[in-house]
Amino acid sequence: MAQSTTHTLPPPFNSSSTTPKPPLITQGAEALLYKTTYLTPSTPIALKHRPKKSYRHPTLDTRLTKARILAEARVLVKCKREGVVVPAVLGADWEEGWLACEWIEGKTIRAALDGYLKRDVGEEADLRGEGVRGLMGRIGVVLAKLHGIGVVHGDLTTSNLMVRQLEREGDGLESLSLGENREKGLEGEVVIIDFGLATQSVQDEDRAVDLYVLERAFGSTHPQAEGLFEEVLRVYGESYKGAKVVLRRLEDVRLRGRKKSMIG
Ligand SMILES: Nc1ncnc2c1ncn2[C@@H]1O[C@H](COP(=O)(O)OP(=O)(O)O)[C@@H](O)[C@H]1O
Ligand SMILES: [Mg+2]
């Protein structure tokens, strides 16, 4: 977890001096992500702050920030309305540059796969295991739903997909064996986050590129598990009308990607 003291939160999140500064979760190129609370002290939120960029002209900067926050909030609201699992939008202020969303208790797919794949010496990750294949299938379903409502994410990575961990009473992980414990980390609802680059589109090309970006992300963050992505695509292909055409288009996108990497 990146911790920093140099960043200041936007109002009203900067007001109370008695409580400790909320943790900075990540610092992207454009935005800072904090975990804090909003409206009630027991409502945890993900606060995305887009601080003013001094290298940009102030008028342009204000316009860009407003457009991005509104675009992200609108896509999130549309997804929620149409049944795609995303964090709820709780508030936004484009003048101050922030967007507040429901905090998802869980981990990124990246962290979940890391935890599953990082075995102790001598132990092999079972890539055909039901837990991990189930998780891949749920990713396929959620992506199909997203594309099915006419939204393309634009930045699908294993850090922009989360698994919501269900907290159950007496779920003593300590009492489980190592294998079972790992399987547990794969359970839970898949939630799509980070709609900063999302667009509305029903084009096969845009959908195929969306999948290709995630396929590449899988390959680079979890090279041992590249084969797992096939399961994402298999389930995606069966989850909405038009998905099969997108998968055929994906083959073209891959070919172009390969040619490009041979030239460049
Ligand atoms: N609603 C949320 N609940 C829990 N964690 C979140 C939430 N939104 C973001 N995060 C965490 O913060 C990271 C960065 O957030 P993200 O929206 O992807 O911003 P960026 O545009 O900087 O990538 C995510 O990868 C995730 O780990
Ligand atoms: Mg992100």
Side-chain angles (χ1 to χ4, degrees):
M1 196 178 282
Q3 192 75 44
S4 166
T5 46
T6 53
H7 302 291
T8 45
L9 275 85
F13 301 96
N14 57 354
S15 59
S16 98
S17 51
T18 46
T19 50
K21 204 170 172 257
L24 178 67
I25 306 296
T26 59
Q27 174 168 14
E30 292 282 335
L32 303 162
L33 202 294
Y34 297 93
K35 181 180 185 183
T36 182
T37 58
Y38 187 49
L39 303 174
T40 85
S42 58
T43 310
I45 61 158
L47 179 71
K48 201 172 204 173
H49 183 214
R50 295 177 179 276
K52 289 197 165 56
K53 300 272 185 293
S54 50
Y55 56 81
R56 266 199 305 247
H57 187 281
T59 314
L60 173 67
D61 189 56
T62 308
R63 250 188 15 227
L64 271 178
T65 299
K66 177 177 178 180
R68 284 174 183 166
I69 287 172
L70 272 175
E72 184 163 3
R74 283 181 177 134
V75 174
L76 281 165
V77 169
K78 177 185 167 116
C79 285
K80 179 65 86 192
R81 192 172 53 217
E82 310 218 20
V84 178
V85 186
V86 297
V89 174
L90 298 173
D93 183 335
W94 45 85
E95 305 294 334
E96 293 297 339
W98 59 261
L99 175 66
C101 290
E102 167 197 3
W103 181 260
I104 305 298
E105 215 53 71
K107 30 179 136 146
T108 61
I109 293 288
R110 180 177 192 154
L113 280 181
D114 275 348
Y116 181 71
L117 295 168
K118 254 187 218 118
R119 344 249 75 212
D120 308 313
V121 195
E123 231 188 310
E124 274 284 306
D126 185 6
L127 297 183
R128 287 154 307 151
E130 241 169 66
V132 76
R133 284 178 68 84
L135 177 60
M136 295 305 110
R138 296 199 301 286
I139 295 174
V141 169
V142 87
L143 296 182
K145 269 208 180 142
L146 180 74
H147 287 176
I149 67 160
V151 173
V152 160
H153 185 279
D155 189 21
L156 285 176
T157 62
T158 49
S159 301
N160 288 339
L161 293 168
M162 294 189 70
V163 217
R164 181 182 259 141
Q165 237 92 68
L166 307 161
E167 272 182 63
R168 278 164 301 187
E169 211 58 52
D171 205 3
L173 287 181
E174 326 71 51
S175 69
L176 297 172
S177 75
L178 207 56
E180 283 174 304
N181 204 335
R182 282 193 184 113
E183 290 284 323
K184 278 266 174 269
L186 305 171
E187 276 177 17
E189 186 175 45
V190 173
V191 185
I192 316 179
I193 63 165
D194 193 1
F195 287 80
L197 295 172
T199 50
Q200 312 243 7
S201 168
V202 292
Q203 301 294 312
D204 295 332
E205 171 73 15
D206 296 334
R207 289 170 169 172
V209 168
D210 224 18
L211 295 177
Y212 182 66
V213 168
L214 183 60
E215 180 171 71
R216 295 297 296 259
F218 254 80
S220 61
T221 53
H222 302 96
Q224 333 88 293
E226 227 179 327
L228 284 178
F229 195 70
E230 283 168 30
E231 182 64 9
V232 175
L233 295 180
R234 187 187 68 78
V235 174
Y236 176 92
E238 284 167 4
S239 298
Y240 74 102
K241 207 169 130 281
K244 287 281 194 312
V245 185
V246 174
L247 293 183
R248 277 199 292 280
R249 187 61 169 250
L250 174 60
E251 292 171 21
D252 300 337
V253 176
R254 283 191 192 119
L255 280 175
R256 270 188 271 141
R258 237 170 270 149
K259 275 185 202 138
K260 221 164 95 191
S261 67
M262 280 192 295
I263 299 164

